[in-house]
Amino acid sequence: MKQAKATARETVRGRMGEISGWTRTIWDHGETAWREYRSAAFYVDLLRREGFEVEEGSGGMPTAFCATWGNGDGPVIGGYAEYDGIPGNCQAAEPRQAPRDGLGPHAGGHTDPHSALGMGALGGFLAAKAAMEAHGIKGRLKFFGEPAEKVRGSKPIHAAAGYYDDLDAAISFHPFYMAPYCNTVRWDTHCGVGYGVIYEFTCDTPETWMAGGGASPIPASHASPRAPGATDAMVQMYQTAKALREHVMAPGQSWSMNETILAHGQATADNIPAQMAQIMYFIRISEVEEAEHIIRGLDHFAEAAASLCHCTWRRHWVAKSRPGLPNHALARATYTNLEEVGAPQWGAEAADFARAIQSELGLEPMETPFLPMISELIDPEEAERQLRATLPPSQRHFTSDDYTEYCWHAPTVRLYLGRPALQAPPGYAYPAWAMNALGGHPPCIDPMTQVAAEVVAMTALDCLGDTGVLEAAQAEFRDRTGGGIGGGTWLAPLCDYAPPLNFRWPEYVTTARGTDWVIPS
């Protein structure tokens, strides 16, 4: 296995020019949730050229895929790419605040960045494939395209459709985004539950608002009182949820709820109320039961808002992702590989770019502009100790990410690697554009992507070879689930809804005016 790992690492180094270019391509696409058409097509074409069989549109999701490659009978190792960005984060790979060419700042862009997340994982799978071919290692690689991660979109759907059931192990990689998870793996405290839900209000019978014996015979008369309508209901929902949030959960619960307005309107300057409005909530919390409790509260608020504003309401599901499940055996094996590869290191060109950002912001450029932690390892048990010091003892999970869906179908590791992050003077916070720009500049992001590819490949090979890693990881998986899939403590997929494709998700559009973002540039 040592020789196979050496082959994999040599493959990554030899292909870093290609991997870097692929990463920048996805970063430049900057597509957002459920609308990653070019990004998904790029991956599908690339994987087919690399010898994978690819199912496009897996799980009924147009921008998802499932790619497989085999070298005979053996373990099945899963991994994935994400490639959705975030609206409002359109930033050029320049050391100044500026949108990408031809776009405005409200367009989509990569923040984490998922562009490097996906290519770090893919680079690892391609390197594992090369090592399997060179050394006659049997097994199968299964690589997924997972769209809409920012709304926890695809993984619950893939899981419920059975796509993960044949996996023997899964590897999840994410760029560092919060201390102490930098150049380490998660140990006990994995991500928690993520629930996404859309409340839709409709005003279908405005003519009956305050109707009486003397009502106008003309429906929606200009002289008649106007029904509040859907926009008013949505505003009432928004305000009520804000005002009564503290009454939904008991004091001391660690949870978050974010909202965004997806669509509103059809109202004009005429005396016609808005016919339809939608507001989406996303809930991040530790346990499924707590998430269900919050939904009951939101349902109550929606019912009250609709009644007040002469509307009806419906609830639509966007996401129901399960909490994570630890696997120490696979986590320790992955971290051992990370120790062998070493944390990412940044060169002079990356440092110059970082100092140019500092200068642009009016700061004194630093001799060492990057945070030390992005080039330092931290043992997973030490990272766990530091995190637990900030959490209530009763809280099992922290933050939200839907890699957790893999955890209930196979032993899964969550790998975090340092991405370029700037040191700040005391009391100073960098604007978001600075981090986004670093994620698109190859000398800044490639060191992380290379380490990810090497570690992912090495871990896949550990699971494919006669190393004892897979046996230990699967024994631990069975123990934690009460017997594996279907066991006594196994948590089944929560997804009981179709892919939420047809809502007004932000996207790039082409009209007679050309290609633009839905918010005009």
Side-chain angles (χ1 to χ4, degrees), residues 193-197 255-257 281-285 291 294-295 298:
V193 175
Y195 268 33
V197 63
W255 65 291
S256 68
M257 182 171 71
Y281 290 90
F282 199 87
I283 300 149
R284 296 168 177 84
I285 200 163
I294 293 169
I295 293 297
L298 290 176

Side-chain angles (χ1 to χ4, degrees), residues 68 156 252 317 352 407 460:
T68 56
W317 285 107
D352 287 343
C407 296

Side-chain angles (χ1 to χ4, degrees), residues 110-256:
H110 285 283
T111 58
D112 280 337
H114 284 175
S115 48
L117 179 161
M119 289 304 172
L122 178 60
F125 270 60
L126 295 180
K129 174 179 176 286
M132 293 168 70
E133 291 173 316
H135 299 277
I137 299 171
K138 303 300 182 183
R140 190 154 59 98
L141 303 177
K142 197 170 185 181
F143 193 77
F144 292 89
E146 303 282 16
E149 187 278 332
K150 293 301 182 184
V151 293
R152 309 299 184 263
S154 66
K155 299 186 192 77
I157 292 169
H158 271 146
Y163 280 87
Y164 305 156
D165 289 350
D166 62 345
L167 298 180
D168 290 295
I171 305 168
S172 170
F173 155 62
H174 199 289
F176 151 73
Y177 62 92
M178 66 177 186
Y181 290 134
C182 188
N183 300 316
T184 192
V185 294
R186 288 234 182 192
W187 196 246
D188 284 319
T189 308
H190 279 253
C191 286
V193 175
Y195 268 33
V197 63
I198 292 171
Y199 287 91
E200 177 182 297
F201 298 94
T202 54
C203 185
D204 293 326
T205 57
E207 67 277 3
T208 63
W209 172 252
M210 297 179 67
S216 169
I218 304 174
S221 166
H222 290 287
S224 296
R226 170 178 155 168
T231 299
D232 295 83
M234 180 190 64
V235 170
Q236 289 292 333
M237 174 78 177
Y238 173 85
Q239 297 285 11
T240 305
K242 288 286 191 186
L244 298 181
R245 182 183 186 278
E246 64 183 274
H247 299 285
V248 174
M249 293 295 290
Q253 295 284 349
S254 176
W255 65 291
S256 68

Side-chain angles (χ1 to χ4, degrees), residues 420-439:
L422 300 175
Q423 290 206 72
Y428 182 82
Y430 285 98
W433 72 260
M435 196 77 151
N436 297 348
L438 289 164

Side-chain angles (χ1 to χ4, degrees), residues 171-486:
I171 305 168
S172 170
F173 155 62
H174 199 289
F176 151 73
Y177 62 92
M178 66 177 186
Y181 290 134
C182 188
N183 300 316
T184 192
V185 294
R186 288 234 182 192
W187 196 246
D188 284 319
T189 308
H190 279 253
C191 286
V193 175
Y195 268 33
V197 63
I198 292 171
Y199 287 91
E200 177 182 297
F201 298 94
T202 54
C203 185
D204 293 326
T205 57
E207 67 277 3
T208 63
W209 172 252
M210 297 179 67
S216 169
I218 304 174
S221 166
H222 290 287
S224 296
R226 170 178 155 168
T231 299
D232 295 83
M234 180 190 64
V235 170
Q236 289 292 333
M237 174 78 177
Y238 173 85
Q239 297 285 11
T240 305
K242 288 286 191 186
L244 298 181
R245 182 183 186 278
E246 64 183 274
H247 299 285
V248 174
M249 293 295 290
Q253 295 284 349
S254 176
W255 65 291
S256 68
M257 182 171 71
N258 304 96
E259 66 285 298
T260 187
I261 296 169
L262 284 185
H264 60 88
Q266 294 84 51
T268 66
D270 210 341
N271 191 34
I272 301 173
Q275 297 166 296
M276 184 272 288
Q278 296 170 338
I279 185 168
M280 184 177 79
Y281 290 90
F282 199 87
I283 300 149
R284 296 168 177 84
I285 200 163
S286 181
E287 309 296 337
V288 171
E289 296 79 9
E290 296 168 336
E292 295 284 350
H293 184 79
I294 293 169
I295 293 297
R296 287 192 292 272
L298 290 176
D299 284 353
H300 182 68
F301 299 156
E303 175 69 28
S307 177
L308 182 64
C309 297
H310 200 61
C311 292
T312 57
W313 69 280
R314 296 173 61 194
R315 170 168 28 84
H316 306 276
W317 285 107
V318 173
K320 292 183 185 179
S321 63
R322 294 168 283 184
L325 186 70
N327 194 282
H328 292 171
L330 192 54
R332 180 53 68 184
T334 304
Y335 186 72
T336 298
N337 289 327
L338 177 56
E339 288 182 306
E340 183 175 341
V341 174
Q345 304 294 320
W346 279 266
E349 193 173 351
D352 287 343
F353 190 87
R355 283 189 285 265
I357 291 176
Q358 292 175 328
S359 179
E360 172 71 15
L361 292 168
L363 303 174
E364 183 69 26
M366 299 178 180
E367 182 178 354
T368 305
F370 293 119
L371 285 173
M373 71 166 55
I374 66 172
S375 294
E376 299 171 350
L377 301 181
I378 179 169
D379 186 89
E381 293 184 74
E382 173 58 20
E384 176 75 15
R385 186 194 67 77
Q386 292 184 19
L387 177 67
R388 293 306 317 181
T390 69
L391 299 177
S394 61
Q395 183 175 335
R396 293 197 305 162
H397 307 99
F398 182 60
T399 70
S400 171
D401 187 298
D402 62 357
Y403 77 89
T404 53
E405 290 297 306
Y406 284 87
C407 296
W408 295 96
H409 298 266
T412 301
V413 62
R414 176 68 159 179
L415 168 67
Y416 293 98
L417 291 176
R419 59 163 295 181
L422 300 175
Q423 290 206 72
Y428 182 82
Y430 285 98
W433 72 260
M435 196 77 151
N436 297 348
L438 289 164
H441 187 56
C444 291
I445 199 64
D446 287 354
M448 180 205 72
T449 308
Q450 178 174 336
V451 172
E454 293 186 33
V455 175
V456 166
M458 295 166 73
T459 302
L461 292 169
D462 276 331
C463 294
L464 290 162
D466 186 20
T467 62
V469 169
L470 184 61
E471 291 79 3
Q474 291 185 331
E476 183 178 347
F477 176 76
R478 290 190 296 270
D479 182 62
R480 290 184 183 274
T481 56
I485 295 177

